[in-house]
Amino acid sequence: MARKPRADLAGVTQHVIQRGNDRQPCFFRDIDHQRYLQDLREITLARDCHVHAYVLMTNHVHLLMTPTRVGAISSVMQALGRRYVRYINDAYGRTGTLWEGRYKSHLVANDEHLLRCYRYIELNPVRAGMVATADQYRWSSHAGNTGTSPDPLLHPQDCYQRLGPMPADRQQAARERLQQASAEDASRFAHHLHHQQPMGNDRFRAAIEAQLGRSITPRKVGRPRKQSQENPASEDRD
């Protein structure tokens, strides 16, 4: 079966996840996290991508990025994957792949959906039971987005900038939003990532379809209903 083409548009933010092969660890020591973030910063700068949020878990990563051109995120992930795998193999005397196939991604509207995505990403270690609060986890964008410490990797998205007139206002709003997370948010993002479906309102989806020139609405599962002889007009259509 042919691969489904990615929904990829310049200026539209993507939520990306990449997992370790067979759910195995891809970070072993602090220096590995540091190396990944260093490589990510260098590669995104070179390939015209802006990083808004991230978390490096033991066996997978979440990234929230906006490309300035079509294909930029794919280029980033390919270059980052090759460079980091080479580093891990050399550092630990291993061979072979580290990542589990292609990364997954979905588009996110630059509105409340995107702010929820910031929160979803930065709360991953809390949901996994690794820490009690997001500020206890070192390897995420939480410190940079909430003002605890500067993070040169981050480039605030428009919706984040609208949280307040001054950096301190925005950082305080970001801290407060972390307390508003819900189980429904986590379930929704997991669903959209699995199906790689855009997250936003109907207007956002329509605009994406118009730019891509194809439908992004999932087809209904199951066989089509037979046409009724009594009322042919009653047939359901996708």
Side-chain angles (χ1 to χ4, degrees):
M1 180 181 294
R3 286 178 173 177
K4 183 179 179 181
R6 296 188 188 279
D8 182 15
L9 294 168
V12 181
T13 302
Q14 294 185 35
H15 175 200
V16 174
I17 183 172
Q18 188 163 37
R19 296 189 181 279
N21 190 40
D22 198 27
R23 304 296 178 97
Q24 294 300 305
C26 39
F27 302 99
F28 304 93
R29 297 180 295 168
D30 286 355
I31 193 172
D32 302 338
H33 298 84
Q34 294 164 356
R35 176 58 182 264
Y36 185 94
L37 294 175
Q38 175 185 323
D39 289 347
L40 177 62
R41 183 166 187 258
E42 292 176 0
I43 292 170
T44 51
L45 283 172
R47 285 168 169 75
D48 304 317
C49 273
H50 296 150
V51 178
H52 314 302
Y54 64 85
V55 66
L56 311 185
M57 303 293 282
T58 304
N59 62 3
H60 68 281
V61 301
H62 285 268
L63 305 171
L64 190 63
M65 299 187 287
T66 300
T68 59
R69 57 181 175 81
V70 173
I73 286 182
S74 178
S75 177
V76 165
M77 298 306 292
Q78 289 174 13
L80 180 61
R82 287 193 298 266
R83 187 185 296 189
Y84 185 71
V85 170
R86 186 164 57 245
Y87 156 75
I88 288 292
N89 286 352
D90 289 347
Y92 297 100
R94 66 184 300 278
T95 60
T97 185
L98 181 68
W99 304 112
E100 185 179 76
R102 301 173 83 208
Y103 68 89
K104 289 189 174 183
S105 64
H106 69 98
L107 304 178
V108 187
N110 187 7
D111 56 16
E112 178 63 24
H113 294 88
L114 192 54
L115 291 173
R116 289 179 179 177
C117 196
Y118 271 83
R119 182 173 63 197
Y120 170 79
I121 289 172
E122 293 175 358
L123 284 176
N124 256 262
V126 178
R127 287 194 300 275
M130 300 171 71
V131 291
T133 58
D135 59 347
Q136 296 174 342
Y137 194 74
R138 294 177 59 191
W139 309 112
S140 83
S141 54
H142 174 272
N145 282 326
T146 59
T148 304
S149 63
D151 189 335
L153 175 58
L154 297 180
H155 186 285
Q157 182 52 294
D158 293 345
C159 64
Y160 177 89
Q161 299 278 36
R162 292 193 293 267
L163 287 175
M166 302 295 293
D169 300 321
R170 296 190 285 270
Q171 292 158 1
Q172 177 61 30
R175 288 192 291 271
E176 292 173 355
R177 289 184 60 83
L178 287 173
Q179 310 304 317
Q180 302 167 12
S182 69
E184 181 183 358
D185 273 353
S187 177
R188 287 185 65 204
F189 277 102
H191 173 83
H192 280 263
L193 269 173
H194 178 74
H195 295 284
Q196 302 191 74
Q197 287 294 314
M199 178 172 277
N201 59 27
D202 290 343
R203 181 179 298 178
F204 173 72
R205 295 176 66 87
I208 295 301
E209 290 183 342
Q211 292 182 69
L212 292 174
R214 59 182 171 86
S215 173
I216 55 174
T217 302
R219 292 185 175 272
K220 294 179 180 179
V221 178
R223 299 176 62 184
R225 294 172 56 185
K226 292 183 178 180
Q227 182 173 341
S228 170
Q229 294 182 354
E230 292 79 8
N231 185 8
S234 67
E235 180 182 3
D236 286 348
R237 298 183 184 277
D238 290 340

